[in-house]
Amino acid sequence: MSSLHPVARSLPARSSHTPAARNRRGALRSACAALLVAAVVSGCGTAQGALQASTPPSAPPVAPPGTTAASPGGPGTSGSPSAPAAPSTRPPGGSDAVPATPPGAPAPSATTAPGRPPEAPRPGSPQPAPGAPTASTPPAQPAPPAPPPAAPGVSAALVASTAHGGRTVALTFDDGPGPATGQVLDVLAQYGAKATFCQIGPQAAANPAMVKRILAAGHRLCDHSVHHPQPFAALSHDRQVEEIVPARDMIVRAGGAGTEVPWFRAPGGGFTAANQQVAAAAGMRPLTWTVDTRDWSKPGVPAIVASVQHGLRPGGVVLMHDGGGDRSQTVAALRQLLPWLTAQGYGFDFPAV
Ligand SMILES: [Zn+2]
């Protein structure tokens, strides 16, 4: 820890170092500083999870773009490498295409109170403050170009509850956008329901109009990987990173400027402590579910409806699909479920962040 602190402090100090000799050296130094910072930042961008897992060679892994660098506690204190929550390797059912099985962590965690998960690693533990000046020196000007935010405050703990708890439900639709997405949106609109769409990157890229329509209707987006490989947890760390981060970028591009993707859902629920860290470092909370309708297997409309009616508890997260094949049963079930949920006093919410 003590070695991290001076490093962190040296960065901002350099940039504003020589007020007097600014003429020549200033230019040189700030260029160097910019390069340095850019190198650090880009190095952290995707490999952050890896950095945290293995002992960091040098830099504090978290140091988000420039200004927030000085995190007194440093990542060392939060014991990042420890507590590898038992990898929830639970390969999906038979189907190769679409997820089926509930996520490894079976405990819904959301009985009523979606309380803070215990571990919540919080990469840069103490530093959510956006514009906090670092040390005694004034912030100075050479703010480095901000890359995609490293999401200082995003927890890597699995989300299995709604944002507001109580008698709310978060509906989630995976594997889209696809041919059925428009119908799902129509039914949701009919009942004033909001939902979260966990999208496959290339499909979002291929249908930006649908992504924009989802956003315009007030729904939210979630990253569901590039290729939907399964079992996801069995992939190498690098492959998982390549599935998680580029998919997010595709979804953001499809949605347009300002698009937010606050969650990542591993294909088949194949979460591990490591890929949860990757998602969190990219600004997304890993999102699981509490009710699996198994709608992808086309079990019949009554079975889909019953799975929710019997399995949902307040604050729960329901898994359905708007892609991956014929979703007519899903749409039909939704027509029954939405009025039922409303009659039961449920409000429609988003997952916790
Ligand atoms: Zn899926």
Side-chain angles (χ1 to χ4, degrees), residues 123 138 163-164 186 343:
H164 295 92
D186 289 343

Side-chain angles (χ1 to χ4, degrees), residues 99-267:
T101 32
S109 105
T111 17
T112 326
R116 263 293 105 95
E119 44 167 6
R122 279 188 177 250
S125 41
Q127 208 63 349
T134 51
S136 52
T137 35
Q141 61 272 55
V154 175
S155 164
L158 281 176
V159 171
S161 62
T162 61
H164 295 92
R167 206 160 178 79
T168 60
V169 58
L171 303 176
T172 63
F173 294 90
D174 285 14
D175 297 358
T181 305
Q183 289 173 279
V184 169
L185 289 173
D186 289 343
V187 182
L188 291 171
Q190 189 179 342
Y191 293 95
K194 295 292 181 266
T196 300
F197 291 81
C198 297
Q199 300 190 321
I200 295 173
Q203 292 174 212
N207 200 346
M210 187 57 76
V211 177
K212 290 182 172 74
R213 183 182 160 193
I214 288 170
L215 290 169
H219 307 294
R220 305 199 73 184
L221 300 175
C222 162
D223 174 345
H224 197 41
S225 85
V226 176
H227 300 104
H228 205 282
Q230 288 182 277
F232 193 74
L235 301 181
S236 71
H237 180 82
D238 287 351
R239 281 266 347 258
Q240 293 189 44
V241 172
E242 289 164 7
E243 288 289 334
I244 295 171
V245 178
R248 189 272 314 271
D249 295 342
M250 291 178 204
I251 295 167
V252 168
R253 274 196 296 275
T259 296
E260 293 180 4
V261 183
W263 304 278
F264 165 71
R265 175 173 280 163

Side-chain angles (χ1 to χ4, degrees), residues 19-141:
R22 203 187 249 163
N23 306 336
R24 316 169 171 164
R25 272 188 184 170
L28 251 179
R29 278 180 183 276
S30 60
C32 288
L35 275 177
L36 222 175
V37 170
V40 168
V41 161
S42 67
C44 288
T46 54
Q48 195 164 34
L51 282 179
Q52 286 180 339
S54 59
T55 28
S58 57
V62 184
T67 45
T68 51
S71 51
T77 49
S78 59
S80 38
S82 65
S88 52
T89 33
R90 176 69 63 87
S95 132
D96 51 352
V98 205
T101 32
S109 105
T111 17
T112 326
R116 263 293 105 95
E119 44 167 6
R122 279 188 177 250
S125 41
Q127 208 63 349
T134 51
S136 52
T137 35
Q141 61 272 55

